[in-house]
């Protein structure tokens, strides 16, 4: 009965999202309530569990998501993303410009949603293609795969934040290991772009990147553009280092300061103030709606994350492990199961964030059965879910259409270039996670 309930609610989430276009907040909440009744819980217990699951999940990351979104909006609106991209292009050089575009996308997608990042940076593709003679298709796929890499692995992107909260993983460790996993994943996208660019030359005439005429210029220097992004990442990473069981920096004043400043809320708040400094030359009237726009974006993600936590709370009442005979699953097997569930959900309904949140809710009660109980194990579980949630981006994913439309790719070309690229990235991602599991 419990297995049927689990299968039915997952199928409901997919159908409600894909066929009936229901917002994930509603589909996840309805799934949680329906699961509770079908499992024989009393109405009072259902509401208590849902409330506790919602609140517990958001207690640590609600403000982090909101602050991260503000940083992203300021980077986008002030033209700092262009500054970041041009800086990376200058450092790496025109000869390796597809690699530069790929890495620029990777860096920018840590605070900026990959859809927005592609729209902002796509104007660079055509200009660089003309300068270098390299097909624009190569740049489009290199940029798309670079943006996608950090999106599912590196906080403060909402997906990894939500998974870390639901699976109770250390955010700093998720960040550090996420960087280790996502960089090879991004480079896999770059190599795929170079490879597929040669085989799709016949489609090159149809690929001409749309011009993005609006390019704000407020005299922002590269170091200014990087600081709102790098400072929070560095502080969160330092918190994890000083809290390592051996306490490498002791547990005195330095420990207390870094432990406080590295708390995700404080680190992202510092990043927000650094982002505010980017808008010093922007007229007050022009930027007065930016924070409200950021909170509007963040609000939906926060609520989806909370609904996922509520759904996970109900699922924790089921002994899923014994029901589907997972007692003998090893840690590596558990990571693979997490990857496969996330990949199925992603491919079926299109949203990486919904896939990450739903999969995290499903596997949270299974971590102990999988033997994934250590701090490192939980962080790797988050990354395994992330790898699955990028496998694959196709016609039911809004990002697929952003990439194809802003590059003027036909559907066939986008499926061969972008979709197969995300499949390769997902496989590289899970291989990296399994390699880290064996090493660590």
């Amino acid at each position: 009965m419990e297995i049927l309930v689990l299968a039915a609610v997952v199928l409901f989430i997919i159908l409600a999202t894909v066929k009936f276009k229901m917002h994930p907040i509603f589909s996840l909440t309805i799934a949680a309530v329906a699961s509770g009744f079908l499992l024989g819980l009393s109405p009072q217990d259902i509401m208590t569990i849902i409330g506790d699951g919602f609140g517990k999940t958001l207690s640590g990351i609600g403000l982090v998501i909101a602050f991260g979104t503000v940083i992203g909006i300021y980077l986008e609106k002030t033209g700092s993303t262009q500054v970041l991209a041009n800086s990376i292009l200058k450092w790496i050089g025109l000869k390796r410009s597809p690699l530069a575009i790929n890495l620029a996308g990777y860096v920018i997608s840590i605070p900026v949603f990959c859809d927005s990042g592609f729209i902002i940076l796509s104007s660079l593709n055509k200009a660089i293609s003309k300068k270098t003679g390299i097909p624009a298709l190569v740049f489009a796929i290199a940029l798309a795969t670079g943006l996608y890499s950090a999106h599912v692995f590196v906080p403060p992107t909402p997906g990894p934040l939500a998974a870390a909260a639901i699976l109770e993983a250390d955010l700093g460790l998720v960040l550090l290991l996420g960087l280790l996993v996502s960089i090879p994943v991004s480079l896999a996208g770059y190599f795929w772009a170079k490879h597929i660019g040669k085989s799709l030359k016949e489609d090159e005439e149809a690929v001409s990147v749309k011009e993005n005429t609006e390019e704000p210029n407020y005299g922002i220097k590269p170091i200014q553009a990087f600081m709102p992004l790098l400072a929070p990442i560095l502080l969160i990473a330092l918190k994890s280092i000083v809290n390592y069981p051996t306490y490498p920096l002791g547990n005195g004043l330095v420990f207390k300061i870094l432990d406080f400043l590295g708390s995700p809320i404080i680190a992202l708040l510092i990043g927000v103030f650094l982002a505010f400094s980017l808008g010093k030359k922007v007229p007050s009237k022009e930027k007065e709606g930016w924070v409200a726009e950021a909170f509007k974006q963040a609000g939906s993600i926060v609520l989806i994350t909370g609904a996922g936590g509520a759904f996970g709370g109900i699922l924790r009442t089921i002994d899923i492990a014994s029901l589907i005979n997972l007692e003998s699953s090893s840690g590596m097997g558990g990571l693979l199961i997490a990857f496969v569930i996330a990949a199925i959900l992603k491919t079926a309904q299109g949203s990486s964030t919904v896939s990450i949140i739903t999969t995290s809710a499903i596997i949270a009660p299974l971590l102990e059965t999988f033997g994934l109980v250590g701090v490192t194990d939980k962080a790797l579980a988050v990354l395994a879910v992330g790898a699955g949630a990028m496998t694959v981006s196709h016609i039911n994913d809004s990002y697929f259409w952003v990439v194809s439309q802003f590059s003027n790719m036909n559907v066939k070309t986008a499926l061969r270039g972008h979709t197969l690229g995300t499949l390769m990235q997902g496989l590289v991602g899970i291989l990296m996670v399994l390699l880290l599991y064996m090493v660590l």
Side-chain angles (χ1 to χ4, degrees):
M1 178 63 184
E2 286 88 348
I3 296 174
L4 290 175
V5 169
L6 180 62
V9 294
V10 171
L11 182 61
F12 165 76
I13 291 169
I14 294 171
L15 288 176
T17 307
V18 175
K19 188 172 179 61
F20 301 107
K21 309 301 179 187
M22 185 182 290
H23 197 283
I25 293 170
F26 296 116
S27 61
L28 286 166
T29 305
I30 292 169
V33 174
S35 300
F37 279 116
L38 291 171
L39 293 169
L41 299 176
S42 70
Q44 187 175 359
D45 286 343
I46 292 171
M47 297 317 300
T48 300
I49 293 169
I50 286 176
D52 290 345
F54 187 94
K56 184 179 179 183
T57 302
L58 293 186
S59 62
I61 65 157
L63 286 174
V64 175
I65 291 175
F67 293 162
T69 310
V70 171
I71 293 170
I73 285 288
Y74 266 78
L75 285 172
E76 177 183 336
K77 300 286 188 182
T78 60
S80 297
T81 50
Q82 292 277 358
V83 175
L84 290 170
N86 287 327
S87 298
I88 293 171
L89 185 60
K90 183 178 178 181
W91 296 335
I92 295 180
L94 274 178
K95 287 184 180 179
R96 293 185 293 275
S97 49
L99 175 61
I101 285 291
N102 178 262
L103 294 179
Y106 171 83
V107 170
I108 287 161
S109 69
I110 295 174
V112 177
F113 293 109
C114 49
D115 301 58
S116 301
F118 193 90
I119 293 168
I120 295 163
L121 296 182
S122 61
S123 59
L124 291 174
N125 290 347
K126 188 175 182 180
I128 301 173
S129 176
K130 283 182 177 179
K131 283 183 183 179
T132 60
I134 299 171
L137 180 67
V138 174
F139 290 102
I141 296 172
L143 174 60
T145 52
L147 284 160
Y148 207 27
S149 303
H151 180 69
V152 295
F153 291 120
V154 184
T157 308
L161 275 178
I166 294 170
L167 298 179
E168 299 179 355
D170 178 75
L171 193 58
L173 197 55
V174 171
L175 171 58
L176 291 170
L177 295 179
L179 290 169
L180 287 178
V181 170
S182 58
I183 291 174
V185 169
S186 185
L187 292 175
Y190 157 69
F191 287 116
W192 172 256
K194 287 190 68 176
H195 166 75
I196 201 68
K198 295 175 184 177
S199 62
L200 291 178
K201 277 185 179 177
E202 66 273 15
D203 294 323
E204 176 57 24
E205 289 183 4
V207 180
S208 56
V209 179
K210 291 182 180 180
E211 295 287 350
N212 186 358
T213 54
E214 293 186 20
E215 189 173 325
N217 183 4
Y218 296 110
I220 293 168
K221 296 179 180 178
I223 187 64
Q224 290 176 283
F226 275 102
M227 283 308 293
L229 178 58
L230 294 181
I233 289 175
L234 181 61
L235 289 171
I236 292 171
L238 284 172
K239 175 181 169 66
S240 286
I241 291 170
V242 299
N243 277 280
Y244 195 73
T246 57
Y247 293 102
L249 298 181
N251 53 7
L253 182 62
V254 173
F255 168 82
K256 291 177 181 176
I257 291 172
L258 291 177
D259 185 59
F260 174 72
L261 294 178
S263 300
I265 291 174
I266 302 300
L268 267 293
L269 183 60
I270 291 169
V272 165
F273 284 111
L274 290 169
F276 285 163
S277 70
L278 300 174
K280 286 187 296 186
K281 296 182 180 179
V282 181
S284 298
K285 190 171 183 181
E286 186 178 331
K287 64 184 177 183
E288 65 183 10
W290 291 1
V291 171
E293 183 181 342
F295 288 160
K296 186 178 178 181
Q297 285 184 9
S300 176
I301 296 162
V302 166
L303 289 172
I304 294 172
T305 302
F311 179 49
I314 295 291
L315 293 184
R316 280 185 170 88
T317 65
I318 314 173
D319 187 3
I320 299 174
S322 61
L323 288 173
I324 51 181
N325 202 20
L326 291 174
E327 287 86 347
S328 59
S329 295
S330 66
M332 191 173 290
L335 294 173
L336 283 171
I337 289 170
F339 169 80
V340 170
I341 294 172
I344 291 170
L345 285 168
K346 163 63 180 176
T347 304
Q349 55 78 44
S351 169
S352 294
T353 303
V354 172
S355 171
I356 288 172
I357 291 169
T358 307
T359 304
S360 299
I362 292 170
I363 70 163
L366 298 172
L367 291 183
E368 189 172 346
T369 302
F370 292 149
L372 300 172
V373 293
V375 179
T376 304
D377 296 335
K378 289 182 178 180
L380 290 175
V382 170
L383 301 180
V385 172
M390 70 188 313
T391 315
V392 295
S393 172
H394 63 101
I395 56 175
N396 62 2
D397 182 4
S398 62
Y399 186 49
F400 172 89
W401 293 108
V402 167
V403 172
S404 61
Q405 294 305 303
F406 273 81
S407 305
N408 285 346
M409 294 186 203
N410 58 45
V411 173
K412 178 184 174 184
T413 301
L415 286 170
R416 291 178 65 191
H418 174 70
T419 301
L420 289 179
T422 61
L423 172 61
M424 178 165 299
Q425 285 187 293
L427 295 175
V428 170
I430 190 60
L431 287 174
M432 286 298 302
V433 170
L434 295 177
L435 179 63
L436 286 174
Y437 179 79
M438 289 187 288
V439 171
L440 300 175

